[in-house]
Amino acid sequence: FYFDFDTAEIKPEARDVLIAHARYLQANPGQDVRIVGHADERGTKEYNLALGERRANAVQRFLVVNGAARGQTETVSYGEESPAVMGSSESALAQNRRVELIFE
């Protein structure tokens, strides 16, 4: 799930898929998900860790509001430390501003 620069606002196009994930979690109470927040390389390491955390927390809140149990979710932020794509082009930066759901 991708984010605009310097924001933790969930994009409208992500909502339907996130609702489907929330319903899946609701229907499978034994399933857990790790919500991993990321940021692009712009900003300090500390700022990007906090931004990744805000993004992960926004997705967690969305999932819980839509039916997932809070106990099924765990959030973590890697900030800029784990880029999906190397490079400083706008395309690369956009792909690094994300939250990943890892089902465990």
Side-chain angles (χ1 to χ4, degrees):
F1 300 96
Y2 297 98
F3 291 81
D4 289 331
F5 175 69
D6 200 28
T7 182
E9 184 176 331
I10 295 171
K11 292 183 174 188
E13 58 266 25
R15 294 179 185 273
D16 287 344
V17 176
L18 283 171
I19 289 170
H21 284 301
R23 289 184 180 151
Y24 171 78
L25 288 165
Q26 186 177 34
N28 296 278
Q31 179 70 63
D32 294 331
V33 64
R34 187 167 3 126
I35 305 163
V36 184
H38 299 273
D40 65 31
E41 64 189 30
R42 295 176 284 188
T44 65
K45 289 187 186 301
E46 295 80 12
Y47 182 83
N48 287 335
L49 276 172
L51 180 57
E53 184 176 351
R54 287 195 307 274
R55 289 173 174 164
N57 288 339
V59 170
Q60 179 189 47
R61 280 190 303 275
F62 190 92
L63 291 173
V64 169
V65 164
N66 286 284
R70 185 170 297 277
Q72 291 176 280
T73 66
E74 172 193 3
T75 61
V76 64
S77 173
Y78 292 132
E80 65 189 68
E81 296 302 314
S82 185
V85 177
M86 300 304 290
S88 296
S89 68
E90 182 51 42
S91 173
L93 294 172
Q95 291 178 68
N96 292 328
R97 298 188 300 260
R98 70 196 192 282
V99 163
E100 298 172 315
L101 301 183
I102 302 171
F103 288 86
E104 301 174 321

